Amino acid sequence: DTAVSQTPKYLVTQMGNDKSIKCEQNLGHDTMYWYKQDSKKFLKIMFSYNNKELIINETVPNRFSPKSPDKAHLNLHINSLELGDSAVYFCASRRGQTYEQYFGPGTRLTVT
Amino acid sequence: AQSVSQHNHHVILSEAASLELGCNYSYGGTVNLFWYVQYPGQHLQLLLKYFSGDPLVKGIKGFEAEFIKSKFSFNLRKPSVQWSDTAEYFCAVNAPTSNTGKLIFGQGTTLQVKP
């Protein structure tokens, strides 16, 4: 059973397009996260939602907008894609105060 | 601001060699510490974690790590590596007082184990 799933796994698109990445977790966790992993494998937090409330909003261009329709889903919408947005985007989730996060398989975004 | 530093960027070992990957963090308060592993083409998996108690923690696949508070370190060790340990290893820290669970990651260490 997949705990944290992301769609799509790969996304190739052109500059200027708008795209969305979806994340779903079936662990019953109440907090979800988006991380960006760049070409040097460096992982950086972008956003986090707890029970549909935004609790982390790092310094990210406002072309990136997270949306959480319910606590099992956290989507990431990106407007006007740029070359520098090419990366692997990981979704993660966590239950309560355990601090252990479970990661999804990642979405490799390539902007051409 | 919190930061995490992993000293070794790329480590190459032969099978059966011992492994130690360094991790230092900068934060003056209480921290939770993690090591995650990312096998080629896969997602991050938790190897081990430290919240409190015994500073020597044991994780999956024979890995262990020691939290040395005075040195702000949380080094990962394995007595004898296998080819299947080839992966990226990430140290991460979280400040529990923030209550957000935000993880700050180190830059990662690429481990290559030669058969």
Side-chain angles (χ1 to χ4, degrees):
Chain A
D1 286 343
T2 303
V4 183
S5 60
Q6 294 179 228
T7 53
K9 191 172 173 66
Y10 299 97
L11 182 54
V12 181
T13 188
Q14 292 184 328
M15 284 175 56
N17 285 347
D18 303 338
K19 291 292 178 186
S20 291
I21 306 171
K22 296 186 176 182
C23 178
E24 176 181 0
Q25 54 94 4
N26 62 5
L27 298 167
H29 291 173
D30 47 22
T31 307
M32 296 183 72
Y33 304 83
W34 277 113
Y35 289 86
K36 179 181 180 181
Q37 186 176 44
D38 64 23
S39 58
K40 296 184 179 179
K41 302 285 182 82
F42 184 63
L43 276 153
K44 193 171 190 305
I45 182 78
M46 298 174 70
F47 302 104
S48 177
Y49 270 77
N50 177 267
N51 284 323
K52 300 196 295 177
E53 180 185 346
L54 183 66
I55 60 170
I56 296 175
N57 186 357
E58 293 291 300
T59 308
V60 176
N62 57 15
R63 299 181 293 103
F64 289 77
S65 54
K67 282 189 171 51
S68 182
D70 55 62
K71 72 175 191 176
H73 295 85
L74 179 60
N75 303 325
L76 183 65
H77 188 76
I78 316 170
N79 288 327
S80 302
L81 279 154
E82 300 178 357
L83 291 176
D85 298 331
S86 295
V88 181
Y89 293 84
F90 286 99
C91 176
S93 71
R94 161 184 94 119
R95 180 194 300 278
Q97 303 296 310
T98 62
Y99 306 106
E100 176 181 335
Q101 293 182 25
Y102 292 80
F103 283 79
T107 295
R108 183 174 293 276
L109 171 65
T110 304
V111 182
T112 61
Chain B
Q2 300 167 47
S3 67
V4 179
S5 176
Q6 292 181 236
H7 319 299
N8 320 98
H9 295 290
H10 197 156
V11 173
I12 303 173
L13 295 173
S14 298
E15 277 194 311
S18 64
L19 170 72
E20 180 159 3
L21 301 182
C23 173
N24 285 89
Y25 65 92
S26 67
Y27 184 70
T30 302
V31 291
N32 296 318
L33 297 155
F34 307 83
W35 275 98
Y36 280 87
V37 61
Q38 186 178 25
Y39 297 105
Q42 295 191 26
H43 63 285
L44 279 85
Q45 301 171 44
L46 183 69
L47 268 181
L48 45 78
K49 60 190 177 189
Y50 172 81
F51 291 165
S52 64
D54 189 344
L56 184 62
V57 292
K58 294 193 184 300
I60 61 171
K61 304 187 181 189
F63 286 91
E64 65 178 30
E66 185 175 13
F67 171 49
I68 302 179
K69 190 175 180 180
S70 60
K71 294 184 178 181
F72 299 91
S73 71
F74 190 55
N75 293 353
L76 181 72
R77 299 194 291 250
K78 185 170 184 178
S80 176
V81 295
Q82 301 173 313
W83 176 77
S84 58
D85 293 325
T86 295
E88 289 283 332
Y89 291 81
F90 295 93
C91 180
V93 66
N94 158 258
T97 52
S98 75
N99 212 29
T100 62
K102 174 180 172 180
L103 286 176
I104 305 297
F105 283 90
Q107 62 268 56
T109 296
T110 302
L111 172 64
Q112 185 182 351
V113 180
K114 294 184 173 180

